[in-house]
Amino acid sequence: KPIGIIRNSRNARDVSCWHGAGDALPWPAARTGISMTLTPNAGKRWSNGTVELMKHRRSIRKYQDRQISKADLETIIEAGTYAPNAGGGQRSMIVGIHNAALAGKIGRMNVARFDRSKLSGSYVSQEQPSIIDDPSTKSGFYGAPTVCIVFAQKNFLYSIPDAFCCAENMVLMATELGISSCIVARGEETFDSEMGTALLREWNIPENYIARCFVLLGYVSGEYPGEKPRKAGHSKIVEG
């Protein structure tokens, strides 16, 4: 169940917070089947299960203004709560920002702390350019109307892998629902400001928790990108 829903009529803000699996809502029966058909926004159809779903997922950085439904957001968050987690501790916390204006504000906070001196490369994508490709990008969330923030305990050894496992579950669930997504890092520095601290306090985030990553959600603007060939020599099986 949500540990809290924050609404503010002045700016139509709707923020849902989930902590662990707990008493999560029953998984919608219509979405449990392996055989799936995507909406026109996602483009491709498949019926071969999880591996094909993984192959179809893309990191999307061009979004329509159209908002996703709250029901789909709750399903995506629920998927995150079922991610593998160290010792079964269910320590990660997810905050879903279901408001485009607030998501844009946090996205500007995210890009403001971007340190280009730490880059190991200077190219990501021509079809879906990142802030690495386009320094004029004003939001680290690329106009996504909904953003989920994954928080984890600051001093827990496995908090980062826990958070990113959670994020991957969420983007795969989004893909099944025909919703585009992207995982964005720089969580730690995004809220390292007076404004960021105020938001965390407003959402009742425990002081020993820190943002580890973000999951952007929305509908792709333009064509859904095609599949890229996998790099050779990046996997190996050892038998003895």
Side-chain angles (χ1 to χ4, degrees), residues 91-163:
R91 297 172 181 85
S92 297
M93 180 180 288
I94 303 165
V95 175
I97 309 298
H98 196 222
N99 178 274
L102 181 57
K105 176 181 176 180
I106 301 171
R108 290 188 293 274
M109 292 164 55
N110 174 270
V111 81
R113 305 300 300 271
F114 183 50
D115 185 357
R116 291 187 169 275
S117 69
K118 295 181 179 180
L119 293 176
S120 60
S122 58
Y123 176 74
V124 175
S125 171
Q126 183 175 359
E127 291 179 288
Q128 297 289 324
S130 79
I131 58 174
I132 296 174
D133 305 305
D134 183 4
S136 68
T137 301
K138 294 181 173 58
S139 170
F141 299 162
Y142 308 101
T146 288
V147 175
C148 291
I149 311 163
V150 184
F151 292 90
Q153 291 177 336
K154 289 181 181 178
N155 298 317
F156 179 56
L157 180 61
Y158 302 109
S159 73
I160 294 176
D162 272 6

Side-chain angles (χ1 to χ4, degrees), residues 1 58 67 76 78 114 138 160 164 233:
K1 294 178 180 178
R58 304 284 182 272
Q67 184 59 280
I76 291 166
E78 183 183 12
F114 183 50
K138 294 181 173 58
I160 294 176
F164 280 88

Side-chain angles (χ1 to χ4, degrees), residues 6 20 32 56 82 92 129 179 211 219:
I6 304 165
T32 57
H56 187 72
Y82 281 90
S92 297
I179 293 171
Y219 295 100

Side-chain angles (χ1 to χ4, degrees), residues 15-225:
V15 182
S16 300
C17 308
W18 292 63
H19 189 193
D23 300 323
L25 295 172
W27 202 276
R31 292 169 182 157
T32 57
I34 289 179
S35 195
M36 295 162 281
T37 301
L38 287 183
T39 67
N41 289 299
K44 186 179 178 183
R45 297 168 180 258
W46 71 86
S47 58
N48 293 326
T50 305
V51 172
E52 291 304 311
L53 176 70
M54 292 175 178
K55 289 180 178 180
H56 187 72
R57 185 212 58 83
R58 304 284 182 272
S59 294
I60 298 300
R61 302 179 191 88
K62 293 180 180 179
Y63 292 92
Q64 300 177 28
D65 293 334
R66 182 160 65 104
Q67 184 59 280
I68 70 172
S69 73
K70 187 175 179 181
D72 282 345
L73 174 58
E74 288 175 339
T75 300
I76 291 166
I77 290 175
E78 183 183 12
T81 67
Y82 281 90
N85 55 92
Q90 300 182 38
R91 297 172 181 85
S92 297
M93 180 180 288
I94 303 165
V95 175
I97 309 298
H98 196 222
N99 178 274
L102 181 57
K105 176 181 176 180
I106 301 171
R108 290 188 293 274
M109 292 164 55
N110 174 270
V111 81
R113 305 300 300 271
F114 183 50
D115 185 357
R116 291 187 169 275
S117 69
K118 295 181 179 180
L119 293 176
S120 60
S122 58
Y123 176 74
V124 175
S125 171
Q126 183 175 359
E127 291 179 288
Q128 297 289 324
S130 79
I131 58 174
I132 296 174
D133 305 305
D134 183 4
S136 68
T137 301
K138 294 181 173 58
S139 170
F141 299 162
Y142 308 101
T146 288
V147 175
C148 291
I149 311 163
V150 184
F151 292 90
Q153 291 177 336
K154 289 181 181 178
N155 298 317
F156 179 56
L157 180 61
Y158 302 109
S159 73
I160 294 176
D162 272 6
F164 280 88
C165 283
C166 180
E168 178 156 6
N169 264 30
M170 293 168 73
V171 299
L172 291 175
M173 187 71 249
T175 304
E176 179 177 338
L177 296 174
I179 293 171
S180 297
S181 63
C182 186
I183 299 174
V184 171
R186 303 185 302 279
E188 294 82 357
E189 56 263 44
T190 298
F191 296 97
D192 187 16
S193 66
E194 186 175 333
M195 186 184 302
T197 300
L199 287 172
L200 300 186
R201 191 179 300 117
E202 183 179 345
W203 301 337
N204 295 317
I205 303 300
E207 290 188 3
N208 65 325
Y209 271 68
I210 190 168
R212 292 300 189 192
C213 61
F214 305 91
V215 176
L216 316 186
L217 298 167
Y219 295 100
V220 63
S221 177
E223 291 190 18
Y224 196 75

